[in-house]
Amino acid sequence: MGGRPPATDRPARRPVAPDGLVVVDKPGGWTSHDVVGRGRRLAGTRKVGHAGTLDPMATGVLVLGVGRATKLLTYVVGADKDYDATIRLGAATTTDDAEGEVVARADASGVGRADLDRAIADLTGEILQVPSTVSAIKVDGKRAYARARAGEDVALAARPVVVSRFEVLDVRPVRPGEAAHEPVLPDDASPALDVDVAVTVSSGTYVRALARDLGAALGVGGHLTALRRTRVGGYGLDVASTLEELEAQADRDGVLATLPLAAAARATFPVRDLTPQEATALSYGQWIPATGTPGTTAAVSPEGELVALVEDTRRGGADLAKPVLVLAPA
């Protein structure tokens, strides 16, 4: 007879992982949602989220939050990020990357290094950037990429971003039919240039859009052919694990290991070491004396537990630190 198998035939539920962060080295071909799904199975809980979407073609650092650590992800998302990328000059695509359809080609063999450096300088610093039309930005409640795929014209407003580093690592000519360069140019295509770059950008910056705008500035079109995120805030590839490594660790130890809340916070925020009295007050949502540090500060108890995130403000003529997120409630 049909129906579900007996409960004894189902895989045993994994023990729930401790609250904390998991830094994943995302493989190519996976969506960020795919990685969250695998993370939920490994962590034994559905309370898993991610900080900052990576496109399926991209690889590298994807920060997952487990349990109470999902509340920290909003702050991790806002951190600056490092990427290694390859930009192909000589073709523009519908998605600003290699997964889209080519809409225009031009001979890029005449692009000199001086022209390239000038165009990159114009895209460095505080700039206004129009996001890619296939981005996850919502337009009237619907994702831009969904509207674009439905054939709608998508017009996104330019937004201020900061590109604090845009460094050329290598420039390679690409000729039609050459198998040494991926993706291979069609035989009837014009010569192209592959430019390997390293960039550091603020939250909300689209590296695909940098590739598009670089190609447009040089008059030859451009798109991404490779993208690897090497850092999100205080979390780099040096602390990232592949999904296979995480699975092996969880199988070996019986539970998925996470970066504890306090350690995770130390990688993102300045730290305020609390007195026992301050830790108790914060756990009740009360205000404490100011930290003297601008922005958000992690408040850690004498036992090393992350109690809250606090921000300095002024109230009643006094400088105080107010809790903006309490992680260890009374």
Side-chain angles (χ1 to χ4, degrees), residues 51-208:
T53 301
L54 273 179
D55 293 332
M57 71 166 277
T59 66
V61 174
L62 183 67
V63 180
L64 302 185
V66 178
R68 287 180 298 159
T70 55
K71 298 179 180 180
L72 294 177
L73 296 179
T74 298
Y75 298 90
V76 177
V77 167
D80 63 348
K81 301 169 179 68
D82 288 342
Y83 294 90
D84 290 339
T86 299
I87 299 171
R88 177 159 292 180
L89 298 175
T93 73
T94 53
T95 58
D96 302 328
D97 63 24
E99 295 188 339
E101 297 180 6
V102 174
V103 293
R105 291 192 185 276
D107 186 343
S109 61
V111 174
R113 183 57 188 264
D115 294 330
L116 180 61
D117 289 343
R118 278 194 294 270
I120 284 178
D122 289 340
L123 292 170
T124 304
E126 297 180 2
I127 64 172
L128 289 175
Q129 183 186 73
V130 177
S132 297
T133 56
V134 291
S135 68
I137 294 171
K138 285 189 175 181
V139 180
D140 295 330
K142 189 175 179 181
R143 300 290 185 187
Y145 63 75
R147 290 186 177 277
R149 289 168 185 167
E152 299 180 30
D153 289 331
V154 180
L156 298 175
R159 54 179 61 190
V161 299
V162 179
V163 181
S164 52
R165 179 176 63 136
F166 197 161
E167 179 184 356
V168 175
L169 303 178
D170 191 27
V171 180
R172 303 181 303 279
V174 185
R175 304 195 184 285
E178 286 186 346
H181 300 276
E182 292 293 339
V184 176
L185 279 179
D187 290 337
D188 59 349
S190 303
L193 283 180
D194 276 357
V195 183
D196 294 336
V197 299
V199 298
T200 299
V201 298
S202 64
S203 176
T205 306
Y206 287 86
V207 183
R208 279 180 299 165

